[in-house]
């Protein structure tokens, strides 16, 4: 275990992050860097947290009510992600523990990845590459390796938050029009109710957080109302999709394909029926995975942690219920 200086505020870092942000944290706090294995096992997390004031964790670290209940000194949980469905927010607020996330800095990277896997899916880039590597490219065939075009088609955006807006804004570059499910969010796009939305969209792309309301929102009935031959893209959270229902829709050919960066239970491997499916392009939750974005996320998480620990309202406070009156300590100012 690497213990940093100076003594004072004690912070646990569950995984190595960008070195600049980590050094800043080590200069300002008594930093404990979990040395592995990764992700930190639940028992070790609970034991380590017993004496910590702050936690910088990942979306794969489950911060349950049991963990929080066993952390008597914990004041801040800074999640290195925009999503925070790994944290029991109700328990954190009940205990007066501040929770923060890292919005904004990953918007562009996630929108780019959405388009990268969408384009690769509809043009069959991955199977075409594999065919080349397997020696299957024998000549230029007018009927070989055919994908689908996007021009004149409609992109259906579910969730017009920051990432949904960034994805929608790029649609015009590919000649696509945009429709949006429901009335929330900003943007000059037609808002449709579910039935009309699903009957219109050639590609449905998910950009909502995982909550009790959105869990399994893409179920059998949702999939049955999508256009025959439509595509599904998910760079948000795997729990939004009923994976059995999606598998069935792909097997019957009702859906032409799915590009999935996220899964209900991560990680998955080549044995996972969706990841291995010939109509699926699967990637390992890499929406924000650029050097620039991951560094910016680490800086943002450290900012939030230090702000909360020094009594300032953190920039990306998720549970306003825990600030300031109910937080575990009295903010300095
Ligand atoms: C997030 O931040 O929630 C993404 O899923 C990973 O960057």
């Amino acid at each position: 275990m690497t213990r940093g200086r100076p003594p004072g505020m004690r912070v646990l870092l569950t995984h190595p992050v960008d070195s600049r942000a980590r050094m800043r944290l080590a200069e300002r706090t008594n930093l404990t860097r979990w040395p592995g294995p990764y992700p930190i096992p639940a028992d070790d997390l609970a034991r380590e947290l017993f004496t910590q004031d702050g936690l910088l964790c990942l979306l794969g670290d489950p911060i349950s009510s049991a963990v929080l209940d066993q952390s008597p000194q914990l004041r801040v949980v800074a999640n290195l992600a925009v999503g925070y469905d790994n944290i029991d927010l109700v328990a954190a607020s009940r205990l007066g523990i501040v929770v923060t996330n890292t919005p904004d800095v990953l918007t562009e990277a996630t929108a780019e990845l959405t388009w990268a896997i969408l384009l690769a899916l509809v043009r069959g880039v991955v199977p075409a590459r594999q065919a080349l590597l397997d020696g299957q490219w024998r000549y230029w065939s007018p009927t070989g390796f055919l994908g689908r075009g996007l021009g004149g088609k409609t992109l259906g955006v579910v969730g017009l938050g920051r990432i949904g807006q960034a994805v929608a804004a790029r649609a015009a570059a590919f000649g696509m029009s945009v429709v949006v499910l429901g009335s929330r969010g900003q943007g000059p796009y037609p808002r449709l109710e579910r039935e009309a939305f699903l009957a219109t969209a050639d590609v449905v792309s998910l950009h909502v957080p995982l909550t009790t309301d959105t869990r399994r929102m893409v179920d059998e009935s949702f999939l049955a109302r999508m256009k025959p031959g439509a595509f599904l893209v998910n760079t948000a959270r795997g729990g939004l999709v009923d994976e059995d229902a999606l598998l069935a829709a792909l097997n019957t050919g009702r859906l032409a394909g799915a590009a999935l960066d996220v899964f209900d239970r991560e990680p998955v491997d080549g044995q996972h029926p969706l990841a291995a499916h010939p109509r699926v392009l699967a990637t390992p939750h890499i929406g924000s995975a650029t050097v620039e974005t991951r560094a910016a996320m680490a800086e943002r998480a450290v900012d939030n942690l230090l702000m909360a620990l020094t009594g300032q309202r953190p920039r990306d406070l998720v549970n306003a219920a825990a600030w300031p009156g109910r937080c575990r300590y009295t903010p300095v100012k």
Side-chain angles (χ1 to χ4, degrees), residues 59 80-83 102 106 110 235-237 262 285 287-288 294 297:
L59 58 84
L80 189 88
V82 65
T102 60
L106 46 68
T110 308
T235 55
R237 284 293 182 270
V262 287
H285 203 147
S288 64
R294 289 287 165 80
M297 289 167 72

Side-chain angles (χ1 to χ4, degrees), residues 124-138 145:
V125 170
V126 173
R129 173 182 185 272
Q130 194 57 49
L132 179 152
L133 295 177
D134 293 345
Q136 302 293 318
W137 182 28
R138 301 197 208 290
F145 304 123

Side-chain angles (χ1 to χ4, degrees), residues 37 82 107 132 137 148 155 157 173 197 230 253 255 261 274 302 308:
V82 65
T107 301
L132 179 152
W137 182 28
R148 303 301 294 265
L155 173 70
V157 175
F197 173 84
L255 244 62
D261 186 47
L274 279 173
V302 168

Side-chain angles (χ1 to χ4, degrees), residues 211-264:
T211 66
T212 44
D213 290 339
T214 61
R215 187 174 290 281
R216 310 266 185 281
M217 68 180 292
V218 179
D219 58 8
E220 199 181 335
S221 130
F222 185 106
L223 293 162
R225 285 164 178 75
M226 284 175 71
K227 277 173 115 168
F231 294 91
L232 178 73
V233 182
N234 189 5
T235 55
R237 284 293 182 270
L240 299 173
V241 176
D242 177 335
E243 294 186 338
D244 291 337
L246 176 58
L247 197 57
L250 290 163
N251 282 337
T252 60
R254 167 85 196 183
L255 244 62
L260 306 174
D261 186 47
V262 287
F263 292 83
D264 197 10

Side-chain angles (χ1 to χ4, degrees), residues 55-207:
L55 169 67
L56 201 162
C57 60
L58 310 184
L59 58 84
D61 298 327
I63 312 299
S64 63
S65 128
V67 166
L68 294 171
D69 278 330
Q70 292 170 59
S71 310
Q73 286 178 210
L74 191 64
R75 305 187 234 156
V76 193
V77 176
N79 213 32
L80 189 88
V82 65
Y84 43 84
D85 47 279
N86 56 312
I87 301 170
D88 188 326
L89 214 56
V90 174
S93 299
R94 167 173 55 79
L95 294 165
I97 299 170
V98 167
V99 176
T100 67
N101 67 343
T102 60
D104 301 321
V105 290
L106 46 68
T107 301
E108 307 297 310
T110 308
E112 287 166 8
L113 194 272
T114 302
W115 278 100
I117 60 177
L118 193 172
L119 289 163
L121 174 72
V122 300
R123 292 300 301 272
V125 170
V126 173
R129 173 182 185 272
Q130 194 57 49
L132 179 152
L133 295 177
D134 293 345
Q136 302 293 318
W137 182 28
R138 301 197 208 290
Y139 64 100
W140 186 91
S141 159
T143 54
F145 304 123
L146 298 185
R148 303 301 294 265
L150 292 176
K153 305 267 176 68
T154 301
L155 173 70
V157 175
V158 180
L160 201 57
R162 300 176 191 84
I163 297 170
Q165 286 178 43
V167 169
R170 286 156 172 76
F174 300 102
M176 295 187 83
S177 51
V178 174
V179 295
V180 173
L181 177 63
S183 58
R184 300 172 86 170
Q186 305 287 315
Y189 312 106
R191 312 308 174 94
L192 302 178
E193 291 312 315
R194 194 176 91 141
E195 205 85 9
F197 173 84
L198 294 175
T200 307
D202 298 290
V203 178
V204 171
S205 192
L206 307 179
H207 303 288

